[in-house]
Amino acid sequence: MPGGEYGELGGSLPAIASLNASYSTSLSLPSPYLFVPPAERKAISDVRRTFCLFVTFDLLFISLLWIIELNISGTIWENLGNEVVHYNFRSSFFDIFLLALFRFLCLQVGYAAFRLKHWWVIAVTTLVTSVFLVVKVITSNLLSQNAFGYVLPITSFVVAWLETWFLDFKVLTQEADDERAYLAAVNAACERAPMIYPRAVSDGQFYSPPESVAGSEEDLDEEGLGRRAVTAQEKEYVRQGREAMSVVEQILAQEDNWKFEKNNDMGDFVYTLEIPFHGKTFILKAFMQCPAELVYQEVILQPEKMVQWNKTVSACQILQRVDDNTLVSYDVSSGAAGGVVSARDFVNVRRVERKRDCYLSAGMATDHEAKPSSGRYVRGENGPGGFVVLKSSSNPSVCTFIWVLNTDLKGRLPRYLIHQSLGATMFEFMTHLRQRIADLRPSHRSHHNT
C-alpha cells in the first residue's frame, strides 16, 4: 500500500521535534500584516504630486525659453509687442507659450484639483499640442529665424508626450495598485476570515483543517521537545516565523480571491493575490503524483540539499537552528530571464509545522550577523511566503503542492520583467521537483521491498 511504503519516513517526520505538538498551535495568532487598521490615506499621492510638479516645470521651462528668445535681437518689449500685440501665426512663438499654459491649466485642474483617475484629459492636451505643433512647423517660417525655431516646438512636443507617459504608466498604475492594497487592508481589518476553509483544493484533493486549541506563546514554547529559543534575538526569530506562518494560512484561506495568471502543460497554475503592506504575492499550485511525505522531505525538511536538484537556487546554508520548528537560512538564487535578472541572495527565517493533513514551511526576510549584505550579490527581501504540502484524504499516493512567493528583488528592474521572471521560475522549479521525485521513487520502492 502506498501509505505503508512511506510509513518509516512518516514516523520520522517529527525529526523537527515539536511538529506533532504543533497540532495544538493556535490558528488565532494575530497578524500585524493583515489586521492592523489601515492608515489614513494622503489627500494626493506622492506620484501624482510629482506629476503635477512636472507639469509646472513644463510651463516654466517653455516660458523661460520664450523669454530668452525675446532677448536675442532688440529689446524684450519690442519683441513682445511684435509677437503678442502684432501676433502672426507664421512668425510668433507666443502661441507655443499659450499652448504650454493650456496644458498646465487643463492638467492641474483635472489631476490636482479634481484628482481624476482617467487619461482623457491628458489625451486631449497631448492631441491638441501635437496637431498644433505639426501644423505650425509645416506652415510657418520659424525654422528660418533662429535656433529657437527648432528648440521651442521640439521641446514642447517632447514634454507633452513625457507627461502622457508619466501619467499613464506611473501615476494611474501606481495609484491603482495602492488602492487595491488599501481596500484589502480595510477588508482584512474589518472582517477577519477563517484561517483555512474546509473545502476541496482540487479534484481528489481535500484539505482537512486542523483542530486548533487556543494557547499563549508560553504554552507553545513548553510543547517543544528539544531545542528552545533562549536569547532575545532567538525569540525574535520565532516571532517572525509565527507571523509568516499566520500570513501563509490567511493566504490559503482566501483561495477564492486568488487571481489566475498563467498555467503550463503539466497542469500547474500560478495565481496572484494582493497582500496589505507587501503587494503582489505569487502562488503556485500543482498536483503531484507522489505521497506528501516525499515532497515534504525534499522541499521542507532538507532545504540545504535543494541545491543538488533545484537549478533555480545556487546555494543554501543553514545559519542557525533556533528551536525545533525555526531556523535561519542563507539562500542564493540563480539568474533569471536569460540573465537579465542577476543572482540575488536572501537571509530568511523559516518555521516548519505539521497540521494533520498538511505540512507547512513559512518564512520571511530577516537579518543575521553571519551573513551581512555584501557587494557580491544584490540582497533581496522576501515577504511572508513558503511551501505547503497537502495530503489527499482519499489517495495517499498523491498530494497538492503550493508555493507562496512574495519577494522584492531590489535593484532597478521593471516590475513587469520581475513578474514574468517569477512565474517562469516557479514553473522551472516544478520541473526540477518532478524530476527529483522521479529519481527518488525507484530507490524508495527498492528500499521498501528489501
Side-chain angles (χ1 to χ4, degrees):
M1 181 178 176
E5 180 179 337
Y6 295 94
E8 182 177 348
L9 175 61
S12 66
L13 290 180
I16 296 181
S18 61
L19 285 181
N20 280 334
S22 69
Y23 284 130
S24 60
T25 300
S26 171
L27 294 182
S28 59
L29 291 175
S31 170
Y33 297 99
L34 292 179
F35 300 121
V36 297
E40 183 178 352
R41 287 183 294 182
K42 298 179 180 179
I44 184 169
S45 66
D46 293 337
V47 67
R48 184 178 290 254
R49 185 182 298 109
T50 303
F51 170 76
C52 295
L53 184 63
F54 186 74
V55 172
T56 305
F57 165 79
D58 173 17
L59 175 63
L60 296 179
F61 187 55
I62 296 298
S63 302
L64 178 63
L65 291 178
W66 183 47
I67 293 172
I68 294 174
E69 185 271 335
L70 292 174
N71 279 286
I72 289 181
S73 60
T75 65
I76 186 173
W77 301 112
E78 291 177 353
N79 292 324
L80 194 61
N82 292 332
E83 294 196 13
V84 178
V85 179
H86 306 290
Y87 169 77
N88 186 317
F89 178 77
R90 295 172 56 86
S91 60
S92 177
F93 292 97
F94 178 55
D95 47 16
I96 296 182
F97 164 76
L98 291 180
L99 198 61
L101 182 62
F102 164 73
R103 290 196 302 271
F104 174 81
L105 293 176
C106 291
L107 297 180
Q108 292 287 12
V109 170
Y111 297 111
F114 292 101
R115 298 168 195 162
L116 299 178
K117 297 183 179 181
H118 200 276
W119 45 261
W120 70 266
V121 175
I122 201 167
V124 171
T125 60
T126 304
L127 177 63
V128 171
T129 298
S130 300
V131 171
F132 181 88
L133 290 176
V134 169
V135 173
K136 188 174 183 66
V137 169
I138 293 175
T139 60
S140 69
N141 57 2
L142 295 178
L143 303 182
S144 62
Q145 294 184 19
N146 51 54
F148 283 91
Y150 298 89
V151 173
L152 273 169
I154 293 176
T155 302
S156 183
F157 186 86
V158 170
V159 170
W161 279 98
L162 284 177
E163 290 169 346
T164 302
W165 172 84
F166 191 85
L167 180 80
D168 197 24
F169 288 91
K170 295 295 182 180
V171 178
L172 300 182
T173 302
Q174 182 64 48
E175 288 186 343
D177 291 342
D178 293 344
E179 181 72 14
R180 286 193 294 269
Y182 181 83
L183 292 177
V186 171
N187 293 335
C190 297
E191 182 176 356
R192 181 168 183 170
M195 294 300 259
I196 301 176
Y197 290 131
R199 53 185 295 275
V201 177
S202 62
D203 293 340
Q205 288 291 101
F206 296 91
Y207 180 27
S208 300
E211 296 177 358
S212 60
V213 179
S216 64
E217 293 189 1
E218 289 76 11
D219 295 335
L220 294 173
D221 289 339
E222 290 300 326
E223 290 170 355
L225 303 179
R227 184 186 292 106
R228 290 178 54 190
V230 176
T231 67
Q233 181 61 68
E234 289 177 338
K235 292 180 179 179
E236 174 64 15
Y237 288 143
V238 172
R239 185 194 65 81
Q240 290 176 335
R242 285 174 176 158
E243 288 180 358
M245 184 67 69
S246 177
V247 174
V248 169
E249 288 171 334
Q250 290 292 328
I251 292 173
L252 295 178
Q254 300 181 55
E255 184 173 355
D256 290 338
N257 297 326
W258 296 358
K259 178 184 176 183
F260 171 79
E261 295 289 338
K262 61 176 69 175
N263 63 335
N264 61 10
D265 295 337
M266 298 299 297
D268 305 331
F269 294 85
V270 170
Y271 304 88
T272 56
L273 181 67
E274 291 289 338
I275 302 297
F277 316 114
H278 291 282
K280 181 173 288 189
T281 295
F282 286 77
I283 307 163
L284 171 77
K285 185 175 179 181
F287 183 75
M288 302 289 294
Q289 297 284 350
C290 67
E293 289 77 11
L294 187 55
V295 180
Y296 164 80
Q297 180 190 35
E298 294 301 315
V299 178
I300 297 179
L301 192 60
Q302 305 176 129
E304 69 277 13
K305 294 184 179 180
M306 195 182 294
V307 295
Q308 299 175 5
W309 54 269
N310 181 13
K311 304 304 180 183
T312 64
V313 176
S314 59
C316 181
Q317 176 186 354
I318 304 301
L319 301 179
Q320 181 179 352
R321 295 192 180 274
V322 181
D323 63 16
D324 295 316
N325 293 79
T326 310
L327 57 86
V328 180
S329 68
Y330 173 74
D331 307 277
V332 180
S333 66
S334 303
V340 177
V341 181
S342 61
R344 299 301 201 258
D345 68 344
F346 304 84
V347 176
N348 300 310
V349 58
R350 305 188 188 196
R351 180 173 180 83
V352 179
E353 294 183 4
R354 190 179 93 182
K355 299 177 182 294
R356 285 199 174 183
D357 292 335
C358 75
Y359 305 97
L360 302 97
S361 171
M364 60 190 299
T366 191
D367 297 311
H368 197 280
E369 59 182 7
K371 286 293 180 180
S373 181
S374 64
R376 183 176 181 183
Y377 301 106
V378 176
R379 174 62 55 88
E381 184 174 330
N382 286 327
F387 302 107
V388 182
V389 186
L390 308 176
K391 292 183 179 182
S392 169
S393 60
S394 59
N395 187 355
S397 62
V398 298
C399 64
T400 295
F401 176 76
I402 298 175
W403 178 10
V404 179
L405 176 62
N406 181 298
T407 187
D408 182 356
L409 297 180
K410 303 298 183 180
R412 298 182 179 273
L413 295 172
R415 184 178 303 179
Y416 76 91
L417 179 61
I418 295 176
H419 292 172
Q420 287 183 348
S421 67
L422 291 180
T425 299
M426 297 179 103
F427 286 146
E428 182 183 355
F429 171 84
M430 287 307 305
T431 300
H432 298 316
L433 177 58
R434 285 192 171 94
Q435 184 59 51
R436 175 65 171 178
I437 297 300
D439 295 340
L440 286 177
R441 296 197 71 177
S443 62
H444 277 287
R445 287 196 180 96
S446 61
H447 174 74
H448 174 70
N449 293 334
T450 302

